[in-house]
Amino acid sequence: MTAASQAAAKTAAEPEDEIAVETPAAKETAVERDAMPPPGPRPMLPQRAIAKAENFKAGDHVVYPTHGVGKVERIAAEEIAGQTLELIHITFDENRMTLRVPVNKARTAGLRKLSGRKQFDEVLAALKGRARIKRTMWSRRAQEYEAKINSGDPMAIAEVVRDLHRNAGQPDQSFSERQIFEAALERLAAEYGALEGLGKQEAIDKLLLFLKSE
């Protein structure tokens, strides 16, 4: 996925939503190459939802839109570019990355706690719904799928999983389709697993069962 390329360190005088990220060097993936939009107007993409104001504490599992599920390591005051800011330190074990988000920017950045079980029940129900495939070029649809994955909205991510599952593993499925399907499935499984206390593979297996059930 493109999380690494979106996670460059930021230390400008005017603090942004993400203050600093420690992450491996970014690598171009096949998904990024195949999903490049054709020349012309860009499609209308879903905007990132602004999370409700929430109080976070060390040990909380949280969701950051472009990076998925992480864990609050600590909240501490630090001096950044001459300003003292209260920062939420979030670790993402999957990417071996640490992100620092100012407490006063957490809401606009989309940082949120895990979905409730009732909300996730609706997400699981959506996986059983009918796939909705737009009749547009794959490159344009791929861009929209990527935007949904990086929105942090579990319902939007579930729609990607549902829509691409119909061809998963089929000979006619392109490499980029498979990559995006797996990225969406893993992102959804990360939140489901954290919510239910499941390991990554167990969460993925359970989601696949929901997809196959009537």
Side-chain angles (χ1 to χ4, degrees), residues 23-97:
T23 180
K27 293 182 180 179
E28 183 184 23
T29 65
V31 177
E32 291 172 310
R33 293 195 299 271
D34 294 347
M36 288 298 292
R42 294 172 65 86
M44 293 297 292
L45 301 177
Q47 295 184 342
R48 182 175 67 188
I50 297 179
K52 296 179 180 179
E54 294 180 306
N55 294 319
F56 303 99
K57 65 181 184 299
D60 283 346
H61 281 96
V62 295
V63 177
Y64 191 85
T66 54
H67 303 312
V69 175
K71 191 173 184 178
V72 176
E73 184 180 291
R74 67 181 186 277
I75 300 175
E78 295 183 28
E79 186 172 327
I80 302 293
Q83 299 185 47
T84 300
L85 300 173
E86 191 174 12
L87 303 176
I88 305 170
H89 289 240
I90 308 164
T91 56
F92 299 86
D93 292 337
E94 187 81 10
N95 302 322
R96 292 179 296 176
M97 178 180 70

Side-chain angles (χ1 to χ4, degrees), residues 7-204:
K10 300 176 181 179
T11 55
E14 179 61 27
E16 299 186 21
D17 293 345
E18 299 177 15
I19 290 297
V21 175
E22 301 162 8
T23 180
K27 293 182 180 179
E28 183 184 23
T29 65
V31 177
E32 291 172 310
R33 293 195 299 271
D34 294 347
M36 288 298 292
R42 294 172 65 86
M44 293 297 292
L45 301 177
Q47 295 184 342
R48 182 175 67 188
I50 297 179
K52 296 179 180 179
E54 294 180 306
N55 294 319
F56 303 99
K57 65 181 184 299
D60 283 346
H61 281 96
V62 295
V63 177
Y64 191 85
T66 54
H67 303 312
V69 175
K71 191 173 184 178
V72 176
E73 184 180 291
R74 67 181 186 277
I75 300 175
E78 295 183 28
E79 186 172 327
I80 302 293
Q83 299 185 47
T84 300
L85 300 173
E86 191 174 12
L87 303 176
I88 305 170
H89 289 240
I90 308 164
T91 56
F92 299 86
D93 292 337
E94 187 81 10
N95 302 322
R96 292 179 296 176
M97 178 180 70
T98 298
L99 177 71
R100 293 184 291 169
V101 179
V103 170
N104 63 352
K105 295 281 189 178
R107 181 173 180 272
T108 54
L111 184 68
R112 64 173 176 83
K113 294 183 179 180
L114 298 177
S115 303
R117 281 184 167 78
K118 182 178 180 181
Q119 180 184 358
F120 220 89
D121 283 344
E122 296 174 359
V123 171
L124 296 176
L127 291 177
K128 300 180 182 181
R130 183 176 180 180
R132 298 177 183 178
I133 309 298
K134 293 183 179 180
R135 294 185 177 181
T136 57
M137 293 179 62
W138 163 247
S139 57
R140 191 60 55 88
R141 284 190 289 125
Q143 187 180 33
E144 293 181 1
Y145 288 146
E146 289 278 11
K148 284 188 173 184
I149 292 171
N150 289 326
S151 72
D153 180 355
M155 185 62 77
I157 298 171
E159 290 171 358
V160 178
V161 174
R162 178 198 66 199
D163 293 350
L164 293 181
H165 175 254
R166 75 199 196 323
N167 285 335
Q170 298 300 314
D172 60 339
Q173 186 184 44
S174 70
F175 177 75
S176 58
E177 274 188 297
R178 181 67 189 178
Q179 290 289 92
I180 292 177
F181 168 75
E182 290 178 351
L185 180 61
E186 289 183 4
R187 183 68 66 87
L188 194 64
E191 183 164 2
Y192 182 51
L195 183 64
E196 298 293 343
L198 304 173
K200 177 181 176 181
Q201 190 57 53
E202 186 178 2
I204 288 175

